[in-house]
Amino acid sequence: AQSVTQPDIHITVSEGASLELRCNYSYGATPYLFWYVQSPGQGLQLLLKYFSGDTLVQGIKGFEAEFKRSQSSFNLRKPSVHWSDAAEYFCAVGDRGSTLGRLYFGRGTQLTVWP
Amino acid sequence: ETGVTQSPTHLIKTRGQQVTLRCSSQSGHNTVSWYQQALGQGPQFIFQYYREEENGRGNFPPRFSGLQFPNYSSELNVNALELDDSALYLCASSRASGASYEQYFGPGTRLTVT
């Protein structure tokens, strides 16, 4: 079965600092890969996705993620964090071999940004 | 284009009661998925509806059931509520069935079971 691990439950960074959120997955092949962000009282917003092709994908709000097949990882990065980036971030995978659009989520990483 | 909406925003129920949560799909979307997000956890897939039929189900008991209507809106029904059902319930709509991962999430319904 697919599983997603986000090893960092909570990360704190200063505004303007760089950010990397880790995500590892367990899957028999290369799944579809996603990062979502959830602000308090809000639903999930898609930041970026990887289906195939270039392993470095660009998303909204200045985020990017790199797929590394050898490490089964899909880490999210941002070169300079803004206070408005404080939120919870979820990594998710989708089963490439399934006709069902089911997503498997990690437990999330809470990001705090210090001014 | 109207986004995904859910109602109610919050509700409190007593153990053993039944609850119905509602979701309106984004315009043009014909598939709805429901997820349960317990406190401190990532969302867990409950089931998906396409063309008014259940298209797939996660590891949830039969007391979790759903409906999809001709206008593609959807309901999630939970019978015999248990304390562990307390969670944020999210619905997501997408444009097509199959491996449609372009899912747009609503803001969720926060259910508290006492």
Side-chain angles (χ1 to χ4, degrees):
Chain A
Q2 296 85 342
S3 68
V4 180
T5 301
Q6 293 181 248
D8 304 305
I9 295 174
H10 194 182
I11 284 183
T12 300
V13 299
S14 298
E15 191 169 18
S18 63
L19 172 70
E20 182 169 31
L21 303 182
R22 296 183 289 166
C23 173
N24 294 93
Y25 63 87
S26 173
Y27 185 64
T30 300
Y32 298 123
L33 296 160
F34 306 83
W35 275 99
Y36 284 87
V37 61
Q38 185 177 40
S39 299
Q42 303 293 315
L44 297 169
Q45 182 182 21
L46 179 66
L47 287 175
L48 47 77
K49 61 184 183 287
Y50 173 78
F51 284 4
S52 64
D54 192 345
T55 57
L56 184 64
V57 293
Q58 302 297 319
I60 62 171
K61 305 186 180 187
F63 286 93
E64 66 177 26
E66 185 172 13
F67 166 58
K68 293 186 177 181
R69 185 191 308 272
S70 61
Q71 298 177 18
S72 296
S73 69
F74 189 56
N75 294 348
L76 182 71
R77 300 194 294 246
K78 187 169 185 178
S80 178
V81 170
H82 188 263
W83 64 267
S84 60
D85 294 324
E88 187 143 29
Y89 291 80
F90 292 93
C91 180
V93 303
D95 188 347
R96 188 180 289 269
S98 170
T99 58
L100 181 66
R102 171 179 181 171
L103 295 174
Y104 297 83
F105 286 86
R107 63 176 299 167
T109 298
Q110 181 70 45
L111 174 65
T112 298
V113 181
W114 287 102
Chain B
E1 189 175 73
T2 305
V4 179
T5 60
Q6 292 186 242
S7 62
T9 304
H10 298 87
L11 75 166
I12 300 173
K13 290 286 188 178
T14 303
R15 188 171 50 184
Q17 287 187 317
Q18 178 266 342
V19 69
T20 297
L21 311 181
R22 295 178 175 83
C23 171
S24 292
S25 305
Q26 182 161 318
S27 177
H29 287 184
N30 56 12
T31 302
V32 175
S33 301
W34 285 92
Y35 291 80
Q36 180 195 65
Q37 186 179 9
L39 196 62
Q41 301 296 319
Q44 298 286 320
F45 177 79
I46 303 175
F47 43 55
Q48 182 183 87
Y49 276 80
Y50 170 65
R51 291 187 174 175
E52 304 177 50
E53 292 194 1
E54 188 178 292
N55 192 39
R57 189 176 188 93
N59 189 27
F60 280 81
R63 57 189 186 84
F64 285 79
S65 63
L67 285 173
Q68 187 181 31
F69 300 99
N71 65 355
Y72 306 125
S73 65
S74 177
E75 287 183 354
L76 165 65
N77 299 288
V78 187
N79 294 321
L81 283 167
E82 301 177 359
L83 296 179
D84 285 348
D85 295 334
S86 295
L88 180 68
Y89 288 85
L90 298 164
C91 79
S93 72
S94 52
R95 193 174 297 278
S97 67
S100 175
Y101 293 103
E102 296 288 341
Q103 297 184 21
Y104 295 82
F105 284 81
T109 293
R110 173 74 62 187
L111 171 65
T112 302
V113 182
T114 61

